[in-house]
Amino acid sequence: MDGLGSLFGRHKAFVPEPGQKCLNCETELQGRFCYACGQDASNHHRHILHMIVDSIESLFHLDGRLWRTLPPLFFRPGTLAKDYMSGKLARHVPPFRTFLVALLLFIFVSEGLTHHLAKEFEHKTEEAAHALHDPAAVKAHGDALLKSAQADYAKETAALQKERADDLKDATSSEEKALVEASYTRAFAAEKAEYDAVAADPIAAATHDLELTSKGMAVLDDEEISVRSFAYDEKGAGSLKAKINKALKNPEALMLTMFGWGHRLAVLLLPLMTLALGLLYVYRKRFYLFDHFLVACNMMSFIFLTNALVLALPAEAMEWGFGVLTIWTPIYIFMTLRGAYGSGILGALIKTLLLWLTTTISFALLVAGIFLVSVNGF
């Protein structure tokens, strides 16, 4: 608000009277701000709204520089870091301050989404628990499950028939064709068994589904169970495998817990990206670790701000938003390396790939660590 107001000249020019002194250090004023202590000499008897806006401005330091910082941050990658490294400090918001504000906004939006998802999860389990005691609700849920099973069965069967035809075309011998037929016979039988389990008794299927949902658990199909490859053992309930198995049977609660940990630990990506840039440009002696830190601050500010914007979108648009970011982010990194370091096209492409892989692997390890921490809560 304060930064936007600066575009329209909200602050009137202040001219001190001859001989007027600073109220803080009693130095004779030469302008609105005391050159000795920096205090604002304009009238401090302001209305409450102005005090609130000034408090926001003090916290975020959002002055007119904000509107000279955001456009290049989003659309001219690398120019902010290049300006800062060349000594042009006053025209833009300092990179680390931009990063802190972006991180704060990202955490704020993420915490809001986490709270919303937790409420939805709680509401879903409560609804399922109440529905179990309502025969009409159980029947309605059974009808919905049957309808969904019919649609899924038709879709999966059609897909299997197409895949079977393609695989039979590729088979070069009668033995290979026999193996293909046997494989797809089992696949069709599995799909039919899954459908029949619901069609034979929709009420029982609905009751089972509602019971699991009321406990925050999901229905597991054969493929998911085989991938997990281990069974839950009540005797070993305290073991890591048992906890992992129990957590995987509660996917919504697990994802909620991981997301809650993940967005709080995302700050660790800043030092990781700084070190990665330092290794990629270790041969460029004129760049110091501080320079790489500036570039990393700008890139992480972009990533946190854009992810915060996407997380704030409605659920229907969120998937499209992350799809756009999947394309835009590597392009942004490529343009940043070109703009900040003056890398050639080929060099920037190679470094973008390496940086992308490094940060992705680092984030994957971070998620794995979060997963191990998360399962301890199950």
Side-chain angles (χ1 to χ4, degrees), residues 105-115 259 263 311:
L105 290 174
F106 174 72
I107 291 176
F108 176 77
V109 174
S110 300
E111 289 286 351
L113 182 60
T114 302
H115 179 73
F259 184 75
H263 72 264
L311 289 175

Side-chain angles (χ1 to χ4, degrees), residues 188-352:
F188 281 115
E191 292 294 336
K192 185 69 165 57
E194 188 176 338
Y195 168 71
D196 288 342
V198 179
D201 193 348
I203 299 298
T207 302
H208 179 59
D209 186 58
L210 288 172
E211 285 176 347
L212 291 177
T213 304
S214 68
K215 298 175 184 177
M217 301 174 73
V219 177
L220 305 177
D221 58 33
D222 293 336
E223 184 178 354
E224 287 176 317
I225 293 173
S226 66
V227 169
R228 289 159 194 184
S229 72
F230 49 81
Y232 180 65
D233 181 6
E234 294 291 346
K235 295 180 180 178
S239 67
L240 180 60
K241 278 191 175 182
K243 287 182 178 180
I244 291 174
N245 189 52
K246 187 178 179 183
L248 290 173
K249 288 185 178 182
N250 295 265
E252 291 190 52
L254 176 63
M255 290 305 298
L256 188 62
T257 306
M258 288 182 65
F259 184 75
W261 277 96
H263 72 264
R264 294 167 193 163
L265 296 180
V267 67
L268 297 177
L269 289 172
L270 178 61
L272 288 173
M273 186 169 285
T274 301
L275 292 174
L277 287 169
L279 291 173
L280 289 174
Y281 287 96
V282 67
Y283 62 93
R284 302 280 287 273
K285 301 300 182 183
R286 66 188 183 92
F287 293 112
Y288 297 90
L289 194 62
F290 178 74
D291 299 321
H292 304 311
F293 176 74
L294 297 177
V295 177
C297 280
N298 287 327
M299 285 198 285
M300 293 310 304
S301 297
F302 166 82
I303 290 172
F304 284 140
L305 287 173
T306 51
N307 276 272
L309 289 172
V310 172
L311 289 175
L313 293 174
E316 299 78 13
M318 200 178 291
E319 185 177 348
W320 289 95
F322 281 118
V324 171
L325 285 186
T326 302
I327 299 172
W328 190 8
T329 302
I331 294 175
Y332 183 90
I333 293 174
F334 169 78
M335 294 177 66
T336 298
L337 299 183
R338 292 268 292 158
Y341 297 105
S343 298
I345 295 177
L346 181 60
L349 280 173
I350 295 172
K351 289 180 177 65
T352 297

Side-chain angles (χ1 to χ4, degrees), residues 11-25:
H11 297 297
K12 294 182 179 179
F14 172 82
V15 179
E17 296 180 2
Q20 182 177 345
K21 295 183 178 180
C22 172
L23 297 176
N24 182 54
C25 66

